[in-house]
Amino acid sequence: QVQLVESGGGLVQAGGSLRLSCAASGRTVSIDCMGWFRQAPGREREFVAQISRSGDSAYYRASVKGRFAISRDNAKNTVYLQMNSLKPEDTAVYYCTETAYDCTRGVDYWGKGTQVTVAS
C-alpha cells in the first residue's frame, strides 16, 4: 500500500519560510511524478507544484512561482516543498501527491496533509 506522510508545517510570520517534507512508502517514487496541493478554509483544493520523476521538470501555479521550490530525493523516497516569502493567503492544509509515471495524469495518491498558517 502507498502511504504519503507530510511534515514541516506550522505557524510562520508573513515573509518567513517553511520547508515541507513528504516521506513516501509502498511504491518507489523514482518512477512517479510527485507534487503538492493545498486547501484553504472554505475553498477548493488547488494545485501548487509538481516535479517529474527524473526531477528535471517542475511546474507551479502562478501565485507561488518564484517563491516556492519543489525538489525530490529519490534515494530517500522523499519530496520537498521549500516555501519562501510566505503570505497570509498561503495559509492552507498542504497535501503531498503522487501520480504514476508522469505529470500528465491525475493524482493517484494523497497524503493526509500538514497545516501551514501564515500570520499577517
Side-chain angles (χ1 to χ4, degrees):
Q1 60 181 5
V2 173
Q3 288 189 313
L4 303 173
V5 181
E6 303 94 338
S7 62
L11 174 65
V12 65
Q13 296 294 315
S17 298
L18 284 173
R19 174 174 285 184
L20 306 183
S21 298
C22 172
S25 63
R27 184 179 172 92
T28 302
V29 302
S30 63
I31 63 173
D32 289 343
C33 169
M34 304 297 296
W36 295 89
F37 281 61
R38 68 186 182 187
Q39 187 170 25
R43 305 189 69 175
E44 295 296 315
R45 193 171 297 183
E46 64 184 18
F47 165 80
V48 177
Q50 286 184 309
I51 186 168
S52 65
R53 56 188 173 186
S54 66
D56 61 356
S57 297
Y59 315 94
Y60 301 91
R61 71 178 298 109
S63 63
V64 309
K65 194 171 185 178
R67 299 189 297 119
F68 291 11
I70 188 170
S71 61
R72 64 192 301 159
D73 186 338
N74 288 340
K76 296 181 178 179
N77 236 35
T78 301
V79 63
Y80 306 93
L81 185 67
Q82 178 67 46
M83 304 184 293
N84 299 323
S85 301
L86 283 162
K87 304 175 181 179
E89 50 263 46
D90 295 317
T91 295
V93 176
Y94 283 71
Y95 298 89
C96 181
T97 68
E98 184 169 358
T99 300
Y101 303 117
D102 61 62
C103 299
T104 64
R105 303 175 59 253
V107 173
D108 293 305
Y109 306 102
W110 297 82
K112 293 183 178 180
T114 185
Q115 177 70 48
V116 171
T117 302
V118 184
S120 61

